[in-house]
Amino acid sequence: QVQLVESGGGLVQPGGSLRLTCVGSGSMFSSYVINWYRQAPGKQRELVALITYGGGANYADSVKSRFTISRDNAKNTVYLQMNSLKPEDTAVYYCNAHGLVPSLGDYWGQGTQVTVSS
């Protein structure tokens, strides 16, 4: 089983930056793809970025060139560096661990609020 704890959210002005952190527990952390999702009020949850154990990353078109996902496997930690933030980035951001095989399961953190406003 994997437990995930996110941190780093907050209020930032447009054009500012934040770094989100997701810390995972469990010895099988390397067997999971780690995703960052977000959900804005009244909208569906959307995938923002993902990273494999080897560091391969993918991004939603809306955040490409502004967000960077990275992973420190020794610390069971994944980061989401968010630059040039826009009001439309406002959402609750969730860390998700998706097992490489179905038997490993799928786990979610509690979420962290990001608000971009002047």
Side-chain angles (χ1 to χ4, degrees):
Q1 190 162 353
V2 175
Q3 292 184 327
L4 303 170
V5 178
E6 302 107 328
S7 61
L11 173 64
V12 64
Q13 292 187 341
S17 297
L18 282 174
R19 188 176 80 159
L20 305 184
T21 300
C22 173
V23 181
S25 65
S27 59
M28 298 295 289
F29 193 70
S30 60
S31 299
Y32 292 82
V33 173
I34 305 300
N35 305 294
W36 281 101
Y37 284 82
R38 67 185 180 187
Q39 188 165 22
K43 294 189 177 181
Q44 288 190 330
R45 192 171 293 189
E46 63 169 342
L47 178 63
V48 174
L50 67 87
I51 189 165
T52 66
Y53 181 74
N58 231 331
Y59 300 90
D61 287 342
S62 59
V63 306
K64 276 181 183 175
S65 78
R66 299 189 299 122
F67 290 11
T68 302
I69 191 171
S70 60
R71 181 168 183 162
D72 185 338
N73 291 322
K75 296 181 179 179
N76 281 5
T77 300
V78 173
Y79 305 97
L80 185 68
Q81 178 66 44
M82 306 186 295
N83 299 328
S84 302
L85 283 162
K86 304 175 181 180
E88 50 263 44
D89 295 317
T90 295
V92 178
Y93 283 71
Y94 296 91
C95 181
N96 163 258
H98 182 75
L100 295 176
V101 294
S103 60
L104 290 175
D106 204 74
Y107 301 94
W108 293 87
Q110 81 286 356
T112 185
Q113 176 70 47
V114 171
T115 302
V116 185
S117 175
S118 55

